[in-house]
Amino acid sequence: VQLQASGGGSVQTGGSLNLSCAVSGTGSIFSFNAVGWYRQAPGNQRELVAAITSGGRPHYSQSAKGRFIISRDNAANTVFLEMNNLRPGDTAVYYCKGGHSIWVMTDSDHWGQGTQVTVSS
């Protein structure tokens, strides 16, 4: 199973970006209990941004609540992250992950390649 992330870019403070994570290969989006977006800024650990379970229940970090919306299209095997009111603190490489747990990263997780999000003031 492969995850392909896309949609990063550069915006100014207050702008919006949409990220996509497409699942392909020998499996589907239902190969995972949850698919989520995680980010890593230079010098920081990778952290959860938002995730959505196979049943469609979303989970958000405190930073993402009220600004970001995660959704999934099961037929398209794709998870989306709509990011609004972006701030410079959102600048990071964003990764999508498919796995069993939202909160714990394990060796059995599948990761997509990162996509850079840069927010300028």
Side-chain angles (χ1 to χ4, degrees):
V1 178
Q2 292 85 44
L3 284 76
Q4 179 75 34
S6 61
S10 297
V11 296
Q12 292 189 323
T13 297
S16 298
L17 283 172
N18 294 310
L19 305 183
S20 298
C21 177
V23 179
S24 63
T26 55
S28 72
I29 199 169
F30 288 104
S31 298
F32 309 112
N33 184 55
V35 177
W37 287 95
Y38 299 74
R39 68 187 183 189
Q40 188 167 19
N44 290 356
Q45 290 188 330
R46 196 169 295 189
E47 62 179 5
L48 170 72
V49 177
I52 189 164
T53 68
S54 57
R57 181 177 179 182
H59 298 263
Y60 297 96
S61 68
Q62 196 61 38
S63 174
K65 282 180 182 177
R67 299 188 300 130
F68 297 179
I69 301 172
I70 191 167
S71 61
R72 57 190 285 156
D73 183 335
N74 294 331
N77 282 315
T78 303
V79 171
F80 304 97
L81 184 66
E82 177 185 338
M83 302 188 295
N84 301 303
N85 192 19
L86 284 161
R87 309 163 180 165
D90 295 316
T91 295
V93 178
Y94 284 67
Y95 300 89
C96 62
K97 177 182 84 74
H100 179 75
S101 173
I102 293 172
W103 310 108
V104 178
M105 302 176 199
T106 69
D107 291 341
S108 63
D109 291 333
H110 288 71
W111 291 90
Q113 87 288 4
T115 184
Q116 178 71 45
V117 170
T118 302
V119 185
S120 58
S121 57

